[in-house]
Amino acid sequence: MKRYWLMKCEPDAYTIDDLKRDGHTSWEGVRNYQARNMMRDDMQVGDAVLFYASNADPSGVTGLAKVVRAGYPEPRQAKPEWYMVDIGFVSRFADVVSLETLKATKGLEKMVVTQKGSRLSVQPATKSEYDIIVRLGRAKA
DNA sequence: GCCAACGTTGGC
DNA sequence: GCCAACGTTGGC
């Protein structure tokens, strides 16, 4: 069963353009147990990912990715405490679908990212939410 | 840069 | 196990 996710990253660290250039990347460095558990236990190859730029101008979904390797421990740990997945480039939105737009769009009210104080950097999404955002991204293109 | 919200740490 | 202090996230 294909699942849908939203993954946050600050543009200073990594952008959708970096992913386009690299083709794929390891999502290393997540230090939150909830996010870790999802990467370790729930994310599977082929799952769809909304790539979200946080602390950006404006913050929002900048493109799409997909899981190309399921959860595995970050290297160079004595004990495997932290896990990561690999994601591959799918597409880049011509314009960012801003957080403001997400908050204003019907059907996205329940997304974690639109909740006040939400800091989770890896979040589950639904197919319906994903489809709406893909449409918003295409509409702007 | 500010600061509210959140997660984690550590003293007790 | 409680909870204050601290560090981090992330919108604005």
Side-chain angles (χ1 to χ4, degrees):
Chain A
M1 172 82 174
K2 181 176 174 178
R3 301 195 204 203
Y4 300 84
W5 308 95
L6 180 145
M7 298 175 85
K8 287 184 192 172
C9 192
E10 299 200 14
D12 284 352
Y14 206 75
T15 67
I16 191 71
D17 289 319
D18 292 330
L19 184 59
K20 184 176 186 181
R21 179 198 63 214
D22 297 341
H24 57 88
T25 193
S26 301
W27 208 255
E28 201 170 353
V30 172
R31 292 294 178 268
N32 172 282
Y33 290 108
Q34 232 184 312
R36 181 212 53 190
N37 292 348
M38 285 188 281
M39 291 200 292
R40 187 189 59 191
D41 305 332
D42 300 327
M43 296 180 80
Q44 296 299 331
V45 171
D47 284 359
V49 175
L50 297 157
F51 192 102
Y52 182 92
S54 60
N55 263 321
D57 187 24
S59 296
V61 178
T62 54
L64 304 175
K66 64 186 174 188
V67 177
V68 296
R69 183 173 173 186
Y72 61 105
E74 290 186 10
R76 295 179 297 282
Q77 299 176 101
K79 290 181 184 174
E81 182 183 10
W82 298 111
Y83 282 69
M84 58 187 185
V85 297
D86 290 356
I87 62 170
F89 177 77
V90 171
S91 70
R92 178 197 193 285
F93 291 163
D95 288 303
V96 56
V97 178
S98 69
L99 179 60
E100 190 186 2
T101 302
L102 298 180
K103 284 179 174 170
T105 302
K106 212 179 170 200
L108 304 181
E109 303 89 352
K110 290 186 177 163
M111 287 194 81
V112 182
V113 75
T114 60
Q115 310 305 311
K116 186 181 178 185
S118 147
R119 290 169 37 175
L120 195 57
S121 65
V122 177
Q123 316 175 354
T126 66
K127 173 165 174 35
S128 144
E129 288 162 352
Y130 179 86
D131 289 344
I132 290 170
I133 292 169
V134 167
R135 247 181 281 130
L136 289 172
R138 292 218 179 103
K140 291 197 163 198

